[in-house]
Amino acid sequence: MRLIAKLRLRPIRVFCFHHVSDEYNPLTMWEEDWTQTDLFKRNIRNLKEQGYTFILLSDAQKKLKRDWFRREKYAVLTADDGFKSLLNILPWLEEQHIPITLFVNPKYIMEDRIGENIQNRLDQNQTKVSSGEIYLKMSDILSMQSPSITFAYHGYEHLDEWDMNEETFTQNLTQCIEAMQRNFPNVIPFYAHTYGNEKREYDAILHEHGLTPVYVSGNSNYNDALHIDRELVSNERLLKGLL
């Protein structure tokens, strides 16, 4: 049945990226998470020239649920962690009428905190950086009232799920849900697993909270709407023209 579905359905490609900036900062970025601004834009244009239509993540899920024959080329943009560098491309995406979903950790945006993985690197290099220099601020979030920009869940803090038991995972999740539903615009019910992990035993908890799990598996999506697969975007990959 899966083979038959793939033969009659074009896959929906969902892309995941993190930082987009002119220069790479080794203190606050990882090479596999960084994309150079002009290269990012050029690849998005190439996808449009190839006939791809960019749609909302929520619309992609609807198509995965109901499409029996899908010959159109659809793509979805998502960004993880809510980094400040997204401001380099959000206005441009809006001009291009390309929607995007931002998976964010509200603690770092709302409480002026820095994720432990980045903080450790800053401490090792004896560098002081404010949270607002790394992550989007609440003022940035509240200015994004366009329906083409949606927000989704990535945990209250960016914790490694393999280090959490079910109780800790659920607590981190519920804090995230409460904070975002209270303070963020255009929140949609999707949860991106942290660090690209697929700890699928926690998917049952996500479904109990009405959330769709989202992975970074490298796969495309055909007709399974119970979870969303994504392809990781990096500068190295774009330079090879893999989109």
Side-chain angles (χ1 to χ4, degrees):
M1 291 300 293
R2 290 181 180 178
L3 177 60
I4 292 172
K6 288 186 177 182
L7 289 174
R8 71 187 184 196
L9 291 170
R10 278 193 185 273
I12 297 178
R13 302 180 68 185
V14 182
F15 299 105
C16 168
F17 59 96
H18 295 75
H19 285 281
V20 182
S21 62
D22 292 341
E23 296 182 357
Y24 169 68
N25 184 341
L27 288 181
T28 60
M29 304 175 185
W30 281 256
E31 286 193 58
E32 63 269 22
D33 291 342
W34 172 69
T35 304
Q36 197 271 339
T37 308
D38 288 341
L39 185 60
F40 175 88
K41 291 180 179 180
R42 187 159 68 246
N43 275 265
I44 296 300
R45 291 192 191 98
N46 288 343
L47 286 171
K48 293 184 76 173
E49 290 171 2
Q50 292 172 30
Y52 279 92
T53 298
F54 287 89
I55 59 176
L56 289 163
L57 181 60
S58 52
D59 289 338
Q61 187 180 46
K62 291 175 184 176
K63 292 181 181 297
L64 293 172
K65 287 179 178 178
R66 70 182 182 218
D67 284 0
W68 286 95
F69 296 94
R70 184 172 57 246
R71 305 312 303 161
E72 300 89 347
K73 292 181 176 180
Y74 291 115
V76 178
L77 286 188
T78 69
D80 284 4
D81 304 342
F83 289 122
K84 190 83 168 182
S85 64
L86 295 177
L87 296 178
N88 292 317
I89 49 93
L90 286 176
W92 179 80
L93 290 175
E94 196 161 1
E95 289 174 7
Q96 299 295 311
H97 306 290
I98 296 176
I100 184 172
T101 295
L102 310 185
F103 288 94
V104 298
N105 307 105
K107 179 170 183 173
Y108 309 144
I109 295 171
M110 298 174 60
E111 297 187 15
D112 193 28
R113 302 291 181 89
I114 295 176
E116 184 177 354
N117 53 346
I118 297 177
Q119 187 63 64
N120 288 339
R121 184 178 290 194
L122 293 172
D123 291 343
Q124 290 171 7
N125 288 272
Q126 299 182 330
T127 302
K128 296 286 186 182
V129 176
S130 70
S131 174
E133 295 177 69
I134 301 175
Y135 305 102
L136 295 166
K137 299 178 182 178
M138 276 309 301
S139 56
D140 299 320
I141 300 294
L142 295 175
S143 69
M144 299 176 193
Q145 297 294 333
S146 169
S148 66
I149 301 176
T150 53
F151 295 89
Y153 308 102
H154 201 36
Y156 189 64
E157 299 178 70
H158 196 285
L159 304 177
D160 190 337
E161 294 173 13
W162 292 102
D163 293 334
M164 292 189 281
N165 57 31
E166 287 191 13
E167 182 180 358
T168 306
F169 176 82
T170 303
Q171 181 180 16
N172 191 46
L173 173 65
T174 54
Q175 280 185 286
C176 181
I177 293 172
E178 291 169 2
M180 291 186 64
Q181 289 184 350
R182 187 168 59 247
N183 298 286
F184 285 66
N186 302 328
V187 178
I188 57 175
F190 294 84
Y191 176 93
H193 287 284
T194 55
Y195 294 106
N197 292 333
E198 297 181 27
K199 196 164 185 182
R200 300 196 178 196
E201 53 262 49
Y202 287 169
D203 284 357
I205 299 173
L206 298 177
H207 288 306
E208 287 173 7
H209 287 80
L211 303 180
T212 298
V214 178
Y215 311 139
V216 181
S217 64
N219 299 324
S220 298
N221 302 273
Y222 286 89
N223 64 344
D224 183 356
L226 294 178
H227 74 273
I228 301 294
D229 290 302
R230 298 186 293 171
E231 304 172 44
L232 182 65
V233 176
S234 67
N235 215 57
E236 181 181 5
R237 184 180 182 193
L238 295 186
L239 285 170
K240 294 179 180 177
L242 296 180
L243 295 191

